[in-house]
Amino acid sequence: MILLHSKRHIWLVLVVGMSSLIGVANASALSASSKPTTPEIQLISSSAKSSKGTVDVTVDFSIANTNRKSPILQTQVKVGAKTCTANRTATKCTVKGVITGKTYKVLARAKNRNGYSTWSSNISFVANTGTSWMRSVASTATTL
């Protein structure tokens, strides 16, 4: 171990040490206060309801990303003006009593202790019995 006897060297060590501590504190504070990412809608489907002229719209979505210190508390799905709230790790939410034959905008957002994410980009969906919409995912062929 090398001992530094000069006052100049001691100040240099103190400044470098303090700046690294401040940097670590700021990095953890930033990550702990971040809002979740926006969940992606994967599938929208509608099924017949017992009362005539309405359907139940079920929306499957991805779980939003956040840091582990601030987990997802809920995810909201909006179909037109109606909202459904799913708890924590749920990936599905059903909005009941949607009028058939109309086009609705479907959106989703997540919430953690730091607030809500932005609403996902809206998807237009015509609510009829048995209709569905699925996100198309690009696939790549791989050979070994």
Side-chain angles (χ1 to χ4, degrees), residues 70-93:
S70 183
I72 298 295
L73 299 175
Q74 68 182 22
T75 303
Q76 289 183 330
V77 172
K78 187 186 275 191
V79 178
K82 294 187 174 200
T83 304
C84 171
T85 302
N87 293 335
R88 295 192 181 262
T89 58
T91 59
K92 186 182 289 193
C93 201

Side-chain angles (χ1 to χ4, degrees), residues 6 8 15 37 39 54 84 89 91 95 100 106 110 117 120 122 133 137:
S6 154
R8 184 175 168 189
V15 169
T37 61
T54 63
C84 171
T89 58
T91 59
V95 178
T100 58
V106 180
S117 68
S120 64
N122 62 43
W133 175 92
V137 178

Side-chain angles (χ1 to χ4, degrees), residues 2 8 13-14 19 21 38 41 43 49 51-52 91 94 103-104 114 120 124 133 137 139:
I2 300 173
R8 184 175 168 189
V13 171
L14 284 174
S19 66
L21 285 174
T38 304
I41 296 173
L43 173 69
K49 174 104 170 112
S51 62
K52 213 168 197 165
T91 59
T94 302
T103 301
Y104 294 96
N114 300 312
S120 64
S124 294
W133 175 92
V137 178
S139 63

Side-chain angles (χ1 to χ4, degrees), residues 21-140:
L21 285 174
I22 291 169
V24 169
N26 285 340
S28 65
L30 286 174
S31 61
S33 65
S34 62
K35 293 183 180 179
T37 61
T38 304
E40 293 289 330
I41 296 173
Q42 304 297 324
L43 173 69
I44 306 169
S45 59
S46 58
S47 61
K49 174 104 170 112
S50 60
S51 62
K52 213 168 197 165
T54 63
V55 291
D56 292 343
V57 177
T58 302
V59 179
D60 291 25
F61 50 87
S62 64
I63 297 175
N65 291 325
T66 189
N67 69 32
R68 63 186 175 93
K69 291 182 181 178
S70 183
I72 298 295
L73 299 175
Q74 68 182 22
T75 303
Q76 289 183 330
V77 172
K78 187 186 275 191
V79 178
K82 294 187 174 200
T83 304
C84 171
T85 302
N87 293 335
R88 295 192 181 262
T89 58
T91 59
K92 186 182 289 193
C93 201
T94 302
V95 178
K96 298 185 181 284
V98 177
I99 299 171
T100 58
K102 293 178 77 176
T103 301
Y104 294 96
K105 293 188 186 274
V106 180
L107 305 119
R109 70 178 179 175
K111 178 186 178 187
N112 65 8
R113 68 185 174 126
N114 300 312
Y116 286 98
S117 68
T118 58
W119 285 103
S120 64
S121 55
N122 62 43
I123 298 168
S124 294
F125 179 73
V126 179
N128 285 322
T129 302
T131 59
S132 64
W133 175 92
M134 182 181 287
R135 178 172 299 285
S136 61
V137 178
S139 63
T140 57

